[in-house]
Amino acid sequence: MSPDESPTEPQIDVGEAEAKPKKSMKERFAFLDKSGESMDKVPGVNKIPRSARVLVLLIAVILIVSVIAISWPSGDKPVVEPDHVDVTKLEDWSWSSGSTQGDFLNEGTTFTQALASMIEGNGTIFIERVDVTITWQDEPDGSIGPRQKQNQPDTFQLEINSTINVSAMSEEMSNTHGASQTISVFVDIADSGYDYLVIGNTTGIKLGEDVTPGDINIIIHMIVAGDHTSSPQILIINDFGNDYTIEISVTGKMIPE
Ligand SMILES: [Ca+2]
Ligand SMILES: [Ca+2]
């Protein structure tokens, strides 16, 4: 008798175990119906119409995409390198004063205002261009007793200058009798050799060679205020000067504070 034929060996059991067909992974995890037949899907899921299952899947995908979209960083932040600012990568920036009433200017006087003092906020502003327009309307004609006078034209001049080599000066311009008059001037910082003029806080910001700190001045000259006259010229009514409205527009780049 060989060892294989020993009655103590569990030969039959081994043979039965080997005779059973091996189950695949799919079969091991298959759901069985009441008769023991395997089913492709969970019984509960099988009862849900296919269209409803597709809808649920679609909603789940939409929710996931929405969550990703909301949490994704949005907008380009100003790109500021640690020790040097690349101005071209900053966000475009513009500012306008809107049409603003200026103070009455006496004949022969000048009013100067620095642009930096007008721009609100403490960000760092890299100016590319400044446009300025003034408009004025002379006072209505006066009269002395029955004698009507005609208010002769007023003359203004508008100027922009700067701490760098850019400036603009208009001609001396006069209104037509009774009509309003406008003067506009502008400066392009690029005409200075620099690309940008910086105003505002530059602490901790290293500026490139195309950028220089400085300021822009806007200057209104009230040259002559023509008086109220008539012919023959016996008495005149003095015109002391005039008021005006001003609108300033600035474009460039900015680093918010
Ligand atoms: Ca006048
Ligand atoms: Ca006037």
Side-chain angles (χ1 to χ4, degrees):
M1 183 181 271
S2 71
D4 288 347
E5 295 167 356
S6 169
T8 58
E9 289 291 320
Q11 196 168 356
I12 295 170
D13 291 341
V14 170
E16 281 177 355
E18 287 176 347
K20 278 187 179 178
K22 278 194 170 180
K23 289 184 177 179
S24 68
M25 287 297 284
K26 186 178 178 184
E27 288 169 329
R28 287 172 191 271
F29 289 98
F31 292 96
L32 303 180
D33 63 16
K34 288 176 182 173
S35 63
E37 291 294 314
S38 69
M39 300 168 66
D40 287 342
K41 294 192 172 59
V42 181
V45 172
N46 273 342
K47 292 176 183 173
I48 301 172
R50 180 179 173 79
S51 60
R53 277 182 265 148
V54 170
L55 184 62
V56 168
L57 184 64
L58 194 62
I59 291 170
V61 169
I62 290 170
L63 283 173
I64 290 167
V65 170
S66 299
V67 167
I68 291 172
I70 289 167
S71 59
W72 203 263
S74 62
D76 291 329
K77 298 292 182 189
V79 179
V80 182
E81 294 170 13
D83 64 345
H84 175 78
V85 61
D86 183 351
V87 182
T88 60
K89 292 182 178 175
L90 297 173
E91 289 179 9
D92 286 340
W93 173 87
S94 64
W95 174 86
S96 174
S97 66
S99 183
T100 305
Q101 183 66 49
D103 290 335
F104 187 93
L105 271 185
N106 287 315
E107 189 174 29
T109 63
T110 289
F111 179 72
T112 302
Q113 193 163 11
L115 184 63
S117 69
M118 287 181 247
I119 298 176
E120 295 178 356
N122 299 313
T124 307
I125 296 163
F126 299 80
I127 296 172
E128 288 178 285
R129 178 178 166 124
V130 179
D131 287 79
V132 182
T133 296
I134 62 167
T135 303
W136 73 93
Q137 173 76 53
D138 205 358
E139 295 84 4
D141 293 339
S143 60
I144 297 177
R147 189 176 292 275
Q148 288 294 313
K149 304 286 182 179
Q150 189 177 85
N151 191 356
Q152 300 303 311
D154 288 2
T155 303
F156 279 91
Q157 189 173 26
L158 181 57
E159 178 182 5
I160 302 174
N161 70 20
S162 66
T163 52
I164 57 174
N165 188 30
V166 287
S167 62
M169 177 76 93
S170 78
E171 301 291 323
E172 294 184 1
M173 295 184 72
S174 305
N175 61 277
T176 302
H177 172 249
S180 66
Q181 181 66 44
T182 291
I183 306 176
S184 295
V185 292
F186 71 92
V187 291
D188 266 326
I189 300 304
D191 292 339
S192 70
Y194 293 102
D195 290 337
Y196 302 96
L197 175 76
V198 184
I199 61 175
N201 181 19
T202 56
T203 304
I205 299 173
K206 185 176 179 185
L207 304 175
E209 291 183 351
D210 60 336
V211 177
T212 183
D215 204 353
I216 299 273
N217 288 313
I218 294 155
I219 305 159
I220 301 115
H221 303 273
M222 206 293 120
I223 305 291
V224 171
D227 296 326
H228 303 248
T229 62
S230 61
S231 182
Q233 187 123 263
I234 301 169
L235 293 170
I236 63 166
I237 304 170
N238 194 16
D239 185 344
F240 295 98
N242 222 81
D243 61 4
Y244 59 94
T245 58
I246 185 166
E247 181 159 5
I248 304 159
S249 299
V250 187
T251 57
K253 307 278 188 177
M254 180 182 181
I255 302 174
E257 193 75 341

